[in-house]
Amino acid sequence: GLSTLIAVGESQKAMQKASNKETKVYNSIKKALENGNIKKGDSQDKIRKRYGDPVIILDDKHYAVKWVYKPGYADWFNGVKIYLFFNDKKELAGIKMMTVSSK
């Protein structure tokens, strides 16, 4: 009983920590885009080192890959998120910001 509750509590702490990190990285990327600090042609390495890892990296039918950044509180389907699209040279080729929930 008690050991299970302790394990659940620790698991929830880890999930909250991951959620907070996602939100921090999302806010950093969003601010950099709004300020013009991230622009087409920037390398994946530069963006990752400066702002952090995306939540997920996906193959994209029009670009080599798509990076997805979202705050921890956002819903995957309707929440706010930022997509960064990279070409086969690992250079930023496109940006899409979903800043308003469609709910």
Side-chain angles (χ1 to χ4, degrees), residues 37 39 42-51:
N37 296 330
K39 55 194 171 305
D42 286 348
S43 72
Q44 288 178 349
D45 287 341
K46 176 183 174 182
I47 293 170
R48 180 178 269 139
K49 286 177 186 174
R50 218 175 254 178
Y51 305 102

Side-chain angles (χ1 to χ4, degrees), residues 18-58:
S19 177
N20 291 344
K21 182 178 179 184
E22 286 178 13
T23 301
K24 182 179 178 183
V25 172
Y26 169 83
N27 288 335
S28 177
I29 288 284
K30 183 175 183 242
K31 183 177 180 181
L33 287 168
E34 291 170 344
N35 293 334
N37 296 330
I38 295 176
K39 55 194 171 305
K40 289 183 179 180
D42 286 348
S43 72
Q44 288 178 349
D45 287 341
K46 176 183 174 182
I47 293 170
R48 180 178 269 139
K49 286 177 186 174
R50 218 175 254 178
Y51 305 102
D53 291 318
V55 175
I56 192 167
I57 298 173
L58 303 167

Side-chain angles (χ1 to χ4, degrees), residues 3-4 6 8 11 15 22 25 29 32 45-46 77 86 90:
S3 61
T4 301
I6 292 170
V8 168
S11 176
M15 288 187 315
E22 286 178 13
V25 172
I29 288 284
D45 287 341
K46 176 183 174 182
F77 300 101
F86 293 91
K90 299 184 178 185

